[in-house]
Amino acid sequence: MAKTTAKAITEGKNFRRYKDGATDYPQWTDAIFQAGWSHKCPTYVLRTPPCSGSCPSGHDIRGWLDITRGMEKPPADTSWQQYAFARMTDANPFPSIMGRVCPAPCEQGCNRNMVEEHVGINSVEHFVGDWAIENNAAYPAVTSETGKHVAVIGGGPAGLSAAFQLRRRGIAVTLFEANAELGGFMRYGIPGYRVPRDVMDAEIKRIIDLGVTVKTNMRVGRDITIAQLEADFDAIFWGVGTHKGRGLPVPGWEGTPNCVSGIAFLKAFNEGRLQAVTGRIIVVGGGDTSIDVASVARRLGHIKEVSAQDRIEHVIFGEAAHDVASAAKREGCETTLTSLFPVEKMMAAQREVDDAKREGIDIKGGVMPLEVLKGADGRATGLKMCKCTMNGMVPEPVAGTEFVIEADLIVAAIGQKGDLEGLPELDNGNGFINADKTMRIPGRPKHFVGGDVVRPHLLTTAIGHGRVAAASIAEFLESGEVSKRPKVDVQHWKLLNKLRETNLSPAEYDGMPTRGTSGAKFAVHNFEDRGANEIITHEELFLGHFTHNPRRHRQEIHIGADEVIGNFTERLLKLDESQAIDEAKRCMSCGLCFECDNCVVFCPQTAVSRVAKSERTTGRYVQTDYAKCIGCHICADVCPTGYIQMGLGE
């Protein structure tokens, strides 16, 4: 099927939704739609935008973009940055980190892609997250306690997200972490030039400052049992991650000392033990982890071995640490990255692939490993490979294309699983923990789980798991039950919350029957919230309203192969304030009024008017006089955001 282009969608619709003589409009029945009038009138329908619907952590992205652009105003004495930060962290307490490293499925889902290019959501998040750190933004203190106490196992993104959301609800949290520091894969898996450690420490500290009790170097199954946790806590959340790497499923891998996992390699580097690599490196993978391994190897550079004890496998497996003085003599190493998929179809983000090539990494796509070749001492000397084609996710070798790449170290970055030693009752048999849609472990009412140990995916997915699990835990602790999650399971913008914030709360309903709500003070007339059930697509928008407006790209520091050794400076630079605001203005506010006045200007009956300033707030900007409305649909046709839907009512 041919890809639908922005031109095909918007051509001929710069000012009108329908061309003269068009018959492709919805076919209403003659009883409803007659000539230029109908029995239908405007209804203001709030729906979830696809950016939020595509975000695994559940951000209210439209909300904080509307704040950044100046459409939704903050309360008095609150800066827009602080207000946007509060809205961001309602779902995800790591805006600085996610603004840097998230591959941004929200941007792939953005309806602006049908105009020219998606909104740079990550870049705005990056700016606001860094502003919050620079200005010591903190979360509101917990003012009331429930008396309940939850154990969170694992201090990575899932565990920290759950701890954050639980503490906001007044639930006491004790966090158990097997490592010496919190952060999980953010600390031990992602290099510091992608996630600066001061940024990560600041965002973690904000969570701990809510009153989380932290116990590091404490492993459940070794230092404390599940039975003890069940006796001491009202509920338990498991966010233990996947810190056990998978080896290559080829002859010669098992037991070979210089064949290691990407997880182990990055952990040794991020703990400061690994200061250099030794000779020629092959990284087998194709995803973001393999890119990180290869890029770190290039930065570390090569040193000649001076003793067996200095060998890299001893360092990676925790038996030794490289001497920093010796590592200072390093020179460039040969690094090859291989992928089952062709280079253009690799799982890694394109920006990371491009950077890796610039830094001198040789990337070979469409190849598969066949056998680890070993010398007389039992160490790997190379990797036998061949070209392959992919049948779905299964590689098929191409006969007669075998070749050998010589290597001093082979790193497998092809996936990982949970390290569930001592926790056999949680292991589903594959190194993971099962969960239902509420993030509860089936058959274990007090136990909830999230993150990669459920399903290896993105950091933002783990954060979303923590958010959902915390909501489920809070409900369980209050009622003993956990109800079904909404169809669109994200943080939703709520008009009622905005009305309360602006002192426009509806009056109490007196319980008496009434015909319609046009004059009622207890309801918002002709407004409907479908956010929990519907995502608004580009077909519902008036794309012709939006003119071409290029994206503001963040600047990146590109380094070449000759400059890469020892270069651990951050590569991605943030937008400045004016750029962040301008980029946010590209947001089309899908599914929510952004006060363009089209409906007011184009209504031929003057039936649509602005709400009085004293009663106006975000989402409640216009109103319809049904006595004047003839149901001509023009206001709905010219609404850029799809907020106006025609329906029966009074």
Side-chain angles (χ1 to χ4, degrees), residues 569-588:
T569 57
E570 187 174 8
R571 300 182 315 210
L572 193 61
L573 306 180
K574 68 181 178 183
L575 301 178
D576 62 30
E577 181 174 348
S578 63
Q579 290 172 322
I581 293 172
D582 286 343
E583 185 57 26
K585 287 179 179 178
R586 296 181 64 244
C587 172
M588 302 192 298

mmCIF file of all heavy atoms in Angstrom, residues 569-588:
data_model
loop_
_atom_site.group_PDB
_atom_site.id
_atom_site.type_symbol
_atom_site.label_atom_id
_atom_site.label_comp_id
_atom_site.label_asym_id
_atom_site.label_seq_id
_atom_site.Cartn_x
_atom_site.Cartn_y
_atom_site.Cartn_z
ATOM 1 N N THR A 569 32.290 13.841 26.294
ATOM 2 C CA THR A 569 31.442 15.021 26.444
ATOM 3 C C THR A 569 30.060 14.741 25.864
ATOM 4 O O THR A 569 29.901 13.950 24.933
ATOM 5 C CB THR A 569 32.052 16.237 25.736
ATOM 6 O OG1 THR A 569 32.257 15.919 24.351
ATOM 7 C CG2 THR A 569 33.375 16.623 26.358
ATOM 8 N N GLU A 570 29.051 15.415 26.401
ATOM 9 C CA GLU A 570 27.684 15.217 25.914
ATOM 10 C C GLU A 570 27.580 15.717 24.482
ATOM 11 O O GLU A 570 28.127 16.768 24.127
ATOM 12 C CB GLU A 570 26.685 15.958 26.809
ATOM 13 C CG GLU A 570 25.246 15.664 26.459
ATOM 14 C CD GLU A 570 24.254 16.278 27.427
ATOM 15 O OE1 GLU A 570 24.668 17.069 28.304
ATOM 16 O OE2 GLU A 570 23.050 15.974 27.300
ATOM 17 N N ARG A 571 26.836 14.978 23.667
ATOM 18 C CA ARG A 571 26.758 15.295 22.245
ATOM 19 C C ARG A 571 25.549 16.143 21.890
ATOM 20 O O ARG A 571 25.559 16.858 20.892
ATOM 21 C CB ARG A 571 26.690 14.000 21.425
ATOM 22 C CG ARG A 571 27.871 13.097 21.602
ATOM 23 C CD ARG A 571 27.777 11.861 20.751
ATOM 24 N NE ARG A 571 26.455 11.232 20.786
ATOM 25 C CZ ARG A 571 26.252 9.941 20.635
ATOM 26 N NH1 ARG A 571 27.283 9.133 20.443
ATOM 27 N NH2 ARG A 571 25.039 9.432 20.664
ATOM 28 N N LEU A 572 24.471 16.065 22.663
ATOM 29 C CA LEU A 572 23.206 16.689 22.301
ATOM 30 C C LEU A 572 23.006 17.970 23.097
ATOM 31 O O LEU A 572 23.006 17.961 24.327
ATOM 32 C CB LEU A 572 22.059 15.709 22.579
ATOM 33 C CG LEU A 572 20.691 16.023 22.003
ATOM 34 C CD1 LEU A 572 20.743 16.092 20.482
ATOM 35 C CD2 LEU A 572 19.686 14.967 22.458
ATOM 36 N N LEU A 573 22.837 19.098 22.394
ATOM 37 C CA LEU A 573 22.680 20.398 23.033
ATOM 38 C C LEU A 573 21.204 20.785 23.058
ATOM 39 O O LEU A 573 20.461 20.516 22.118
ATOM 40 C CB LEU A 573 23.484 21.459 22.281
ATOM 41 C CG LEU A 573 24.976 21.150 22.068
ATOM 42 C CD1 LEU A 573 25.649 22.285 21.313
ATOM 43 C CD2 LEU A 573 25.669 20.907 23.407
ATOM 44 N N LYS A 574 20.788 21.451 24.128
ATOM 45 C CA LYS A 574 19.372 21.789 24.267
ATOM 46 C C LYS A 574 19.037 23.060 23.495
ATOM 47 O O LYS A 574 19.907 23.868 23.147
ATOM 48 C CB LYS A 574 19.010 21.946 25.735
ATOM 49 C CG LYS A 574 19.643 23.149 26.412
ATOM 50 C CD LYS A 574 19.242 23.225 27.882
ATOM 51 C CE LYS A 574 19.928 24.411 28.565
ATOM 52 N NZ LYS A 574 19.623 24.471 30.007
ATOM 53 N N LEU A 575 17.750 23.242 23.217
ATOM 54 C CA LEU A 575 17.249 24.480 22.640
ATOM 55 C C LEU A 575 17.326 25.591 23.682
ATOM 56 O O LEU A 575 17.354 25.340 24.887
ATOM 57 C CB LEU A 575 15.792 24.309 22.212
ATOM 58 C CG LEU A 575 15.458 23.222 21.180
ATOM 59 C CD1 LEU A 575 13.956 23.194 20.948
ATOM 60 C CD2 LEU A 575 16.205 23.435 19.884
ATOM 61 N N ASP A 576 17.335 26.841 23.224
ATOM 62 C CA ASP A 576 17.186 27.938 24.174
ATOM 63 C C ASP A 576 15.686 28.200 24.373
ATOM 64 O O ASP A 576 14.834 27.568 23.738
ATOM 65 C CB ASP A 576 17.933 29.195 23.722
ATOM 66 C CG ASP A 576 17.429 29.759 22.397
ATOM 67 O OD1 ASP A 576 16.227 29.600 22.078
ATOM 68 O OD2 ASP A 576 18.240 30.368 21.666
ATOM 69 N N GLU A 577 15.358 29.132 25.254
ATOM 70 C CA GLU A 577 13.953 29.329 25.619
ATOM 71 C C GLU A 577 13.094 29.722 24.428
ATOM 72 O O GLU A 577 11.999 29.177 24.220
ATOM 73 C CB GLU A 577 13.826 30.386 26.725
ATOM 74 C CG GLU A 577 12.390 30.605 27.165
ATOM 75 C CD GLU A 577 12.252 31.545 28.355
ATOM 76 O OE1 GLU A 577 13.284 31.860 28.982
ATOM 77 O OE2 GLU A 577 11.107 31.959 28.658
ATOM 78 N N SER A 578 13.557 30.656 23.619
ATOM 79 C CA SER A 578 12.750 31.097 22.480
ATOM 80 C C SER A 578 12.560 29.973 21.471
ATOM 81 O O SER A 578 11.480 29.829 20.878
ATOM 82 C CB SER A 578 13.398 32.315 21.803
ATOM 83 O OG SER A 578 14.670 31.977 21.260
ATOM 84 N N GLN A 579 13.584 29.161 21.280
ATOM 85 C CA GLN A 579 13.462 28.033 20.357
ATOM 86 C C GLN A 579 12.469 26.999 20.892
ATOM 87 O O GLN A 579 11.676 26.438 20.128
ATOM 88 C CB GLN A 579 14.824 27.372 20.150
ATOM 89 C CG GLN A 579 15.826 28.196 19.357
ATOM 90 C CD GLN A 579 17.210 27.555 19.360
ATOM 91 O OE1 GLN A 579 17.645 26.991 20.371
ATOM 92 N NE2 GLN A 579 17.907 27.655 18.240
ATOM 93 N N ALA A 580 12.514 26.743 22.200
ATOM 94 C CA ALA A 580 11.586 25.777 22.799
ATOM 95 C C ALA A 580 10.143 26.259 22.647
ATOM 96 O O ALA A 580 9.235 25.476 22.317
ATOM 97 C CB ALA A 580 11.929 25.560 24.269
ATOM 98 N N ILE A 581 9.918 27.556 22.863
ATOM 99 C CA ILE A 581 8.570 28.114 22.717
ATOM 100 C C ILE A 581 8.111 28.031 21.267
ATOM 101 O O ILE A 581 6.976 27.631 20.966
ATOM 102 C CB ILE A 581 8.529 29.563 23.226
ATOM 103 C CG1 ILE A 581 8.742 29.594 24.744
ATOM 104 C CG2 ILE A 581 7.213 30.232 22.852
ATOM 105 C CD1 ILE A 581 8.912 30.986 25.320
ATOM 106 N N ASP A 582 8.987 28.398 20.345
ATOM 107 C CA ASP A 582 8.630 28.350 18.919
ATOM 108 C C ASP A 582 8.333 26.925 18.475
ATOM 109 O O ASP A 582 7.430 26.699 17.657
ATOM 110 C CB ASP A 582 9.760 28.937 18.067
ATOM 111 C CG ASP A 582 9.846 30.451 18.157
ATOM 112 O OD1 ASP A 582 8.863 31.064 18.607
ATOM 113 O OD2 ASP A 582 10.898 31.007 17.788
ATOM 114 N N GLU A 583 9.091 25.963 18.991
ATOM 115 C CA GLU A 583 8.839 24.572 18.615
ATOM 116 C C GLU A 583 7.495 24.111 19.182
ATOM 117 O O GLU A 583 6.734 23.410 18.501
ATOM 118 C CB GLU A 583 9.966 23.674 19.111
ATOM 119 C CG GLU A 583 9.862 22.231 18.657
ATOM 120 C CD GLU A 583 9.809 22.073 17.155
ATOM 121 O OE1 GLU A 583 10.309 22.944 16.416
ATOM 122 O OE2 GLU A 583 9.233 21.067 16.695
ATOM 123 N N ALA A 584 7.192 24.509 20.415
ATOM 124 C CA ALA A 584 5.907 24.129 21.012
ATOM 125 C C ALA A 584 4.738 24.722 20.234
ATOM 126 O O ALA A 584 3.654 24.122 20.166
ATOM 127 C CB ALA A 584 5.852 24.563 22.472
ATOM 128 N N LYS A 585 4.931 25.883 19.618
ATOM 129 C CA LYS A 585 3.867 26.521 18.844
ATOM 130 C C LYS A 585 3.508 25.721 17.597
ATOM 131 O O LYS A 585 2.447 25.947 17.001
ATOM 132 C CB LYS A 585 4.281 27.943 18.456
ATOM 133 C CG LYS A 585 4.261 28.928 19.619
ATOM 134 C CD LYS A 585 4.710 30.319 19.192
ATOM 135 C CE LYS A 585 4.657 31.290 20.362
ATOM 136 N NZ LYS A 585 5.146 32.645 19.988
ATOM 137 N N ARG A 586 4.360 24.793 17.211
ATOM 138 C CA ARG A 586 4.047 23.935 16.069
ATOM 139 C C ARG A 586 3.033 22.850 16.440
ATOM 140 O O ARG A 586 2.453 22.212 15.558
ATOM 141 C CB ARG A 586 5.320 23.279 15.520
ATOM 142 C CG ARG A 586 6.325 24.260 14.953
ATOM 143 C CD ARG A 586 7.559 23.561 14.396
ATOM 144 N NE ARG A 586 7.225 22.703 13.272
ATOM 145 C CZ ARG A 586 7.356 21.387 13.265
ATOM 146 N NH1 ARG A 586 7.810 20.752 14.344
ATOM 147 N NH2 ARG A 586 7.030 20.680 12.199
ATOM 148 N N CYS A 587 2.833 22.626 17.729
ATOM 149 C CA CYS A 587 1.842 21.643 18.178
ATOM 150 C C CYS A 587 0.460 22.061 17.697
ATOM 151 O O CYS A 587 0.081 23.235 17.803
ATOM 152 C CB CYS A 587 1.867 21.530 19.703
ATOM 153 S SG CYS A 587 0.524 20.518 20.383
ATOM 154 N N MET A 588 -0.304 21.114 17.161
ATOM 155 C CA MET A 588 -1.636 21.394 16.621
ATOM 156 C C MET A 588 -2.731 21.217 17.670
ATOM 157 O O MET A 588 -3.909 21.316 17.346
ATOM 158 C CB MET A 588 -1.894 20.514 15.402
ATOM 159 C CG MET A 588 -0.858 20.714 14.302
ATOM 160 S SD MET A 588 -1.285 19.956 12.714
ATOM 161 C CE MET A 588 -1.358 18.224 13.136
#
